[in-house]
Amino acid sequence: MDPSMYLLDLVVFIGIFGIMSLSLNLEFGFTGLANFGKVVFFLIGAYSYALLSQAGFPFYLCLIIGALIAAVFGFLISLPALRLRTDYLAIVILTSGEIIRLIVKTEDWIAGGDWGTSVAPAIALPGASAHAGILVNIGLVYVCLFICFTISRLLTNSPYGRVMRAIREDEVAAEALGKDRAKYKAQILMLGSAMAGLAGGLYVQYLHYVLPGMFLPIVTFTVWIMVLLGGPANCWGALLGAALVEVFDRGANLAKDLLTLPTDASNLQYILFGVLILLVLLYRPQGLLKESAVKTRATERVRSLGGAVRNKED
Amino acid sequence: MAETLLRVENVCKHFGGIYAVDGVNMNIREGGIWGLVGPNGSGKSTLFNTILGLQHPNSGGIYFKGQRTNNMAPHQIYDLGVVNGFQIPRLFPSLTVLDNMLVAARGQQGDGFFNSLFLREKWQKQEELLTDEALDILELIELRKHIFSTAGELSGGQRKLLEIARALMAHPTLLLLDEPAAGINPVLGKKVFQKLQDLSCSGMTFFIVEHRLEILFEFASWIYVMDKGKTVAEGNPEDIVKEAAFYQAYLGKE
Ligand SMILES: Nc1ncnc2c1ncn2[C@@H]1O[C@H](COP(=O)(O)OP(=O)(O)OP(=O)(O)O)[C@@H](O)[C@H]1O
Ligand SMILES: [Mg+2]
């Protein structure tokens, strides 16, 4: 492949997975909701996009409705989330994701079963070059990424964001201080799922096809690595993590063609991912970027009054 | 006589075979500092938990301003005006002292999903007002210079103080405090009680569990004594020390 196409393709992937990473960061990084089923919502957005676009809806409606359907599933997941401990919740979400994937895989009538189905690109430019097509995709993906990033930043730098962190730290104390934790968890899971659904739609319209094999649990773990590497509870960290993991993934992919290894080289990137996550957890458990404090006028106010001796703000 | 604020009627809370709270009756009227004492494990914290909705009683009724609160969620009980400070502080360790304070503030305009996104100008103004209030309270308990420290960096006594300060940010009608003076130096402990008394003059009501009886008895206007899940005596501090049941609770029956 033409190297410049390879790079542009990488840029698209960073954008799409940046949205995934931002959404898990809202759920896990800020609110402490360990969502081990990110791929479910990615899948729902993807299949919604495929089916809606086949039914003749314009691409923006396919994206928006796909995100909304994913949000409804996010709400449904929030119901057990209120009753179950984090570890049990993880198992529930993980398995329900596999169930949904196996349904679309075995039920041929939904979207071609195991073979999948083709998906029309969001913005078709008849006769345009491949470069032009990919540049249009970059535009579309990064507009969506920008919207998700802005919402994340506004939400987390507000009293609402303070409550998210409080729920992460001690949900019982937050509840005793008047915060309806059920409501907050449901809202965050709905928003996070909508963002993942949006990413799913963008993904399949870019690749022009959808099939169950694209939604293996490894996708969830990849997004987790992005968040843990970049730094949980930091929106820039989520983007940094997405970029690093995608670059790393490509690098490992290229390397495996050049190396001759005694083992099956196609697993190289998974092995390296495992090593990477171990290194992060051992040497930089807080991630590359540290958690950003809640930024509202409260901190400026203290400064203007000359309140603090120590100043830990960055 | 002042109006009844909190009525506890025959409340029982069992944990398997342990009768932690076993038929407690109380009547707390508006204003003043009300004390609750009793030996370790007599059920004081458990009673508080049932009042706060953190645990639901097995039987009996809890009424706040005449409204039955037995099956309400803690955040609904907060909305009614009942707030607490935990015996073992439950702060948000990686949040700053300031953020710990601001989380608790009542009536925030920016803690709703859409408001936080779209009404920024409105709640930003409120943030400034709440910050001023937080600074005043932190000044009093000598934590102002730690305002940007995280709660996890505070010492044990400082955490206890922040736990109380945070509850005050919630403008409670009734504030339950579980051993507010524990682990705090006696001078500051007394100052805190003094402040609570000032606040009680302006209409706040306090219900306080405290093992440091000398401080509690100096400020409280009414004392309940619990033993083995039951209230065994009640009265004003001068009278309660003359009650045989008060001594029996601590020393056991002869
Ligand atoms: N969640 C629980 N499960 C089982 N037993 C409990 C639970 N909570 C409290 N208990 C028991 O109930 C009894 C009363 O406990 P509680 O914490 O109310 O005592 P307390 O009066 O607050 O004591 P202290 O002065 O030491 O704080 C104790 O015997 C305790 O072991
Ligand atoms: Mg106790």
Side-chain angles (χ1 to χ4, degrees):
Chain A
M1 189 155 71
D2 169 5
S4 71
M5 284 296 282
Y6 194 76
L7 275 180
L8 291 174
D9 180 62
L10 174 64
V11 171
V12 175
F13 267 72
I14 290 173
I16 291 172
F17 281 91
I19 295 175
M20 289 296 283
S21 176
L22 277 174
S23 79
L24 179 63
N25 198 27
L26 286 176
E27 295 164 345
F28 172 72
F30 288 99
T31 322
L33 294 162
N35 187 343
F36 281 105
K38 285 313 290 180
V39 73
V40 187
F41 308 99
F42 192 56
L43 178 154
I44 289 168
Y47 273 89
S48 303
Y49 187 100
L51 297 174
L52 288 165
S53 99
Q54 280 171 4
F57 284 86
F59 79 91
Y60 51 90
L61 280 185
C62 300
L63 287 175
I64 292 170
I65 298 172
L68 290 177
I69 295 173
V72 170
F73 274 79
F75 174 74
L76 294 178
I77 285 293
S78 82
L79 299 177
L82 306 174
R83 296 174 177 278
L84 295 177
R85 268 187 12 216
T86 316
D87 37 2
Y88 290 112
L89 176 69
I91 295 168
V92 169
I93 306 186
L94 200 65
T95 46
S96 56
E98 273 296 277
I99 291 170
I100 294 178
R101 188 178 68 83
L102 290 174
I103 291 174
V104 290
K105 182 178 155 115
T106 48
E107 297 295 312
D108 290 345
W109 57 270
I110 298 176
D114 211 3
W115 295 102
T117 182
S118 66
V119 182
I123 301 166
L125 301 170
S129 70
H131 271 98
I134 209 165
L135 286 172
V136 166
N137 257 294
I138 288 176
L140 176 64
V141 167
Y142 279 79
V143 165
C144 294
L145 179 69
F146 177 76
I147 293 170
C148 293
F149 184 75
T150 306
I151 291 175
S152 298
R153 293 272 297 169
L154 290 177
L155 205 60
T156 54
N157 288 307
S158 77
Y160 189 94
R162 204 179 276 132
V163 177
M164 290 164 68
R165 294 169 220 241
I167 289 174
R168 176 192 68 199
E169 307 269 300
D170 188 335
E171 54 177 297
V172 173
E175 170 97 31
L177 292 170
K179 312 304 177 194
D180 184 350
R181 61 181 142 163
K183 185 186 85 182
Y184 283 92
K185 286 183 179 181
Q187 287 173 343
I188 290 300
L189 280 171
M190 286 173 76
L191 176 65
S193 303
M195 283 164 58
L198 176 67
L202 291 169
Y203 190 57
V204 293
Q205 69 77 28
Y206 174 65
L207 295 179
H208 301 182
Y209 64 89
V210 61
L211 51 85
M214 294 156 74
F215 304 100
L216 298 172
I218 184 73
V219 177
T220 298
F221 298 123
T222 308
V223 180
W224 269 89
I225 296 170
M226 291 170 175
V227 171
L228 294 177
L229 178 67
N234 185 317
C235 297
W236 288 107
L239 297 186
L240 177 66
L244 288 177
V245 169
E246 283 301 326
V247 169
F248 185 81
D249 190 33
R250 301 277 163 134
N253 233 331
L254 288 179
K256 92 180 172 216
D257 296 340
L258 305 174
L259 297 174
T260 38
L261 292 176
T263 59
D264 179 6
S266 60
N267 289 324
L268 180 67
Q269 78 223 79
Y270 299 133
I271 296 167
L272 288 178
F273 266 151
V275 173
L276 184 64
I277 201 160
L278 278 177
L279 289 177
V280 171
L281 292 176
L282 280 174
Y283 294 106
R284 187 94 189 157
Q286 73 277 41
L288 292 174
L289 300 183
K290 71 183 172 79
E291 164 156 14
S292 53
V294 186
K295 287 185 200 70
T296 70
R297 261 185 228 158
T299 39
E300 293 161 36
R301 180 73 183 169
V302 175
R303 285 221 191 87
S304 72
L305 297 171
V309 170
R310 283 180 58 203
N311 194 332
K312 294 200 25 147
E313 289 290 290
D314 37 17
Chain B
M1 208 198 281
E3 227 179 297
T4 295
L5 202 57
L6 177 75
R7 192 150 54 86
V8 175
E9 236 177 50
N10 241 325
V11 165
C12 296
K13 179 68 193 174
H14 307 161
F15 299 105
I18 298 172
Y19 289 62
V21 175
D22 193 16
V24 165
N25 288 289
M26 283 176 182
N27 208 8
I28 292 188
R29 293 185 302 277
E30 232 168 78
I33 295 179
W34 300 69
L36 175 58
V37 301
N40 294 120
S42 55
K44 307 179 296 295
S45 298
T46 306
L47 178 69
F48 271 21
N49 284 341
T50 60
I51 296 170
L52 293 160
L54 294 168
Q55 287 168 346
H56 297 299
N58 296 96
S59 63
I62 298 168
Y63 302 86
F64 185 73
K65 291 184 169 169
Q67 190 176 354
R68 193 177 158 94
T69 62
N70 282 37
N71 295 314
M72 284 191 181
H75 73 267
Q76 294 170 312
I77 291 174
Y78 166 100
D79 288 342
L80 294 177
V82 185
V83 182
N84 84 314
F86 288 98
Q87 179 173 3
I88 299 163
R90 296 189 75 150
L91 302 170
F92 307 116
S94 73
L95 299 194
T96 61
V97 168
L98 177 63
D99 283 330
N100 268 276
M101 294 289 279
L102 293 177
V103 168
R106 189 175 293 275
Q108 290 184 63
Q109 283 154 343
D111 69 359
F113 185 83
F114 290 105
N115 286 3
S116 74
L117 294 175
F118 301 115
L119 291 181
R120 296 186 78 80
E121 204 39 48
K122 205 167 158 191
W123 61 252
Q124 286 282 25
K125 285 213 180 71
Q126 193 189 25
E127 288 277 293
E128 295 185 343
L129 297 175
L130 292 174
T131 303
D132 290 352
E133 191 187 337
L135 283 170
D136 284 344
I137 300 175
L138 291 173
E139 185 79 62
L140 177 92
I141 58 162
E142 301 172 10
L143 276 184
R144 180 168 168 157
K145 61 178 178 297
H146 295 288
I147 193 157
F148 288 130
S149 303
T150 63
E153 291 168 344
L154 298 180
S155 74
Q158 289 171 331
R159 286 178 204 198
K160 199 76 213 194
L161 288 164
L162 180 55
E163 177 81 22
I164 302 165
R166 189 175 67 170
L168 288 175
M169 282 301 284
H171 293 186
T173 309
L174 173 64
L175 179 51
L176 309 182
L177 292 175
D178 204 340
E179 299 193 31
I184 290 167
N185 82 64
V187 179
L188 191 51
K190 201 149 174 191
K191 202 167 128 195
V192 169
F193 265 87
Q194 197 71 55
K195 171 70 181 176
L196 299 183
Q197 193 170 46
D198 295 347
L199 288 169
S200 79
C201 294
S202 60
M204 225 181 257
T205 309
F206 295 90
F207 190 19
I208 299 179
V209 168
E210 187 54 75
H211 285 301
R212 301 226 329 236
L213 302 182
E214 77 291 353
I215 301 193
L216 182 66
F217 284 16
E218 183 182 338
F219 291 94
S221 47
W222 197 259
I223 304 287
Y224 286 101
V225 184
M226 270 183 88
D227 186 21
K228 300 190 183 77
K230 294 187 163 65
T231 33
V232 291
E234 62 176 291
N236 57 44
E238 299 88 75
D239 295 338
I240 204 84
V241 292
K242 297 177 197 135
E243 290 257 359
F246 172 67
Y247 290 100
Q248 277 166 8
Y250 279 97
L251 303 173
K253 287 210 169 65
E254 302 295 294

